[in-house]
Every structure is written in structure tokens, then in C-alpha cells.
């Protein structure tokens, strides 16, 4: 049950686009289409922004999009806004019938 | 409105036990998998366990297998986490989470394992 691999930090200027990667294995991301992404602001509870690889819950900005290729999932945020500054976590279901999270990525909006 | 309210967190000595509860409301509890996820303040999220909607099956992270037991009472819309043989590394904020696609989270209950 090794954690998924995410970059520790990414940054971008307002209006720009950024992409956060989430690398797993053939036993998790590479096997199931059950990848979700969470946004967590300091002191707040995580909030889902993407579920099942590409699906955006109602109420989440369409500036958030995601994809998967092989064992790597990616979250893209376009038109960066100051309120996007937060920690982002990916998670995937695994062949062991467990879930595993990534280590988290701190997004800084410059 | 979906509500998940955790309780039971406390300061406990290493080797001790604790039972967390999560009271759910605002949705049909009995049809959802329910999870416990923990987070050390300032650190990342760690999945702990999940329980099947009818309570007949559960899965655990390796770090807690054999020490923690998840269960649920669909009659009272409550999910539990029995934690035994607690260690310092179990110190964290424990969240109750409703399964995908909505992934609703409670506010968490703090567990501190220390002598």
C-alpha cells in the first residue's frame, strides 16, 4: 500500500494553467477508473473536485479538469485564481480493495 | 443536507483503546460504503478503513490491520471505529467520509496517543 506520488508543490500566476500529476501502479491507478481529487484549504475539510478520473461534481468550477494515462492521473486547473491556492490530494482504489492517497501537492498562486 | 458528525476522540496511552463514532444524516445511510480517513495536522491524508453498506465486509490499511475494527449500525445511521493497541503514530484527526462520488467529510475527531 505505497502512497501515490505527487509533486510536493506547484505554482502558477493568476490566469495561468497548472497540472498536478499523481503516479501510481498497475494495481491502482492503472487498473481502476476510480481516481478522485480533493482540495483542502488550511484548517478546512477536504472537498472533492474530481471523481472517477474525469467527473466534476456539481458546484465545482469547470476550470478543474482531469485525465488518466496508464498509471498516472493528472489534475489541471485553468485560469488560476487566488482561491485555488490549497493542498490537493489524489486517491485511487486498489486491487487490494483498499484506497490509497497521494502525499499531497501544495498549490501556490503567485 | 449531508451531515457527518464524529465523536470519541481523546488522549489515550500507548497500548490503549478508543472507539470513534460517526453519526450520519441527510442521506440514505444504508446504501453507501463509509470510510475513516486520518490526517496528522500539517501532514497528508491517510486512508484507514471502509465498511460495506450492509456491514458484512470491511477493508483496512496495512498500518491498522489487526488493531482497528470498523463497523456500522444502519438502524442508527452510525459508523464506528474500534481502535486497539494504539501507538504514537496513530495520533491524528480522524475523519468519517461518505463514499464516492460525493465524498462527503465530517469535521473530524482528534486522537492523541501519548503517555
Amino acid at each position: 500500500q505505497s502512497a501515490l506520488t505527487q509533486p510536493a508543490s506547484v505554482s502558477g500566476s493568476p490566469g495561468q494553467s497548472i497540472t498536478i500529476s499523481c503516479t501510481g501502479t498497475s494495481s491502482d491507478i492503472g487498473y481502476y477508473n476510480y481516481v478522485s481529487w480533493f482540495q483542502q484549504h488550511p484548517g478546512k475539510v477536504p472537498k472533492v473536485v474530481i471523481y472517477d478520473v474525469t467527473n466534476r461534481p456539481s458546484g465545482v468550477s469547470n476550470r478543474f479538469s482531469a485525465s488518466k494515462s496508464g498509471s498516472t492521473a493528472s489534475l489541471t486547473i485553468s485560469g488560476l485564481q487566488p482561491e485555488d491556492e490549497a493542498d490537493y490530494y489524489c486517491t485511487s482504489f486498489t486491487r487490494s480493495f483498499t484506497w490509497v492517497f497521494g502525499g499531497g501537492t501544495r498549490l501556490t498562486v503567485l | 443536507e449531508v451531515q457527518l458528525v464524529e465523536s470519541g476522540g481523546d488522549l489515550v496511552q500507548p497500548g490503549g483503546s478508543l472507539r470513534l463514532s460517526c453519526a450520519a444524516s441527510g442521506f440514505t445511510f444504508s446504501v453507501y460504503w463509509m470510510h475513516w480517513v486520518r490526517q496528522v495536522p500539517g501532514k497528508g491524508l491517510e486512508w484507514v478503513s471502509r465498511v460495506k453498506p450492509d456491514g458484512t465486509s470491511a477493508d483496512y490499511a496495512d498500518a491498522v490491520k489487526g488493531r482497528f475494527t470498523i463497523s456500522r449500525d444502519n438502524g442508527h445511521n452510525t459508523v464506528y471505529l474500534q481502535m486497539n493497541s494504539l501507538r504514537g503514530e496513530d495520533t491524528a484527526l480522524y475523519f468519517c467520509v461518505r463514499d464516492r462520488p460525493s465524498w462527503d467529510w465530517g469535521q473530524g475527531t482528534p486522537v492523541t496517543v501519548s503517555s
Side-chain angles (χ1 to χ4, degrees):
Chain A
Q1 293 180 352
S2 298
L4 305 175
T5 300
Q6 297 181 232
S9 63
V10 297
S11 63
S13 300
Q16 287 187 332
S17 295
I18 62 96
T19 296
I20 299 171
S21 62
C22 172
T23 302
T25 70
S26 57
S27 294
D28 39 64
I29 294 177
Y31 195 83
Y32 290 109
N33 287 323
Y34 290 140
V35 178
S36 294
W37 290 89
F38 299 93
Q39 174 193 63
Q40 187 179 32
H41 288 108
K44 301 296 186 182
V45 170
K47 167 193 167 185
V48 62
V49 294
I50 295 288
Y51 67 92
D52 295 356
V53 180
T54 61
N55 295 285
R56 194 173 54 247
S58 60
V60 173
S61 171
N62 59 10
R63 298 184 297 104
F64 289 83
S65 64
S67 62
K68 187 187 89 166
S69 177
S71 300
T72 298
S74 299
L75 173 71
T76 297
I77 308 173
S78 59
L80 268 179
Q81 298 184 0
E83 58 264 33
D84 297 331
E85 185 161 294
D87 293 326
Y88 290 85
Y89 295 91
C90 59
T91 190
S92 173
F93 192 53
T94 80
R95 292 186 68 185
S96 299
F97 305 113
T98 61
W99 288 81
V100 61
F101 280 95
T105 299
R106 173 69 52 87
L107 168 61
T108 301
V109 180
L110 302 169
Chain B
E1 179 194 3
V2 171
Q3 284 202 324
L4 299 168
V5 180
E6 304 93 336
S7 61
D10 205 347
L11 169 64
V12 60
Q13 292 191 340
S17 297
L18 211 54
R19 188 175 87 151
L20 307 183
S21 300
C22 169
S25 61
F27 63 100
T28 306
F29 180 74
S30 61
V31 304
Y32 284 92
W33 287 84
M34 294 296 297
H35 304 255
W36 286 96
V37 175
R38 66 187 182 184
Q39 184 174 36
V40 175
K43 302 296 184 182
L45 300 171
E46 181 182 16
W47 180 83
V48 174
S49 181
R50 69 169 187 160
V51 61
K52 196 175 179 180
D54 63 5
T56 60
S57 177
D59 299 291
Y60 300 90
D62 286 345
V64 307
K65 197 175 297 184
R67 300 187 299 122
F68 290 10
T69 302
I70 191 172
S71 62
R72 65 192 296 161
D73 180 348
N74 285 346
H76 291 90
N77 289 355
T78 302
V79 61
Y80 304 97
L81 186 67
Q82 177 67 43
M83 303 186 296
N84 298 331
S85 303
L86 282 162
R87 306 166 180 167
E89 54 264 38
D90 296 319
T91 295
L93 186 63
Y94 283 72
F95 294 100
C96 171
V97 185
R98 180 170 73 147
D99 195 37
R100 49 171 291 284
S102 58
W103 290 113
D104 297 288
W105 295 64
Q107 292 298 309
T109 187
V111 172
T112 303
V113 183
S114 175
S115 54

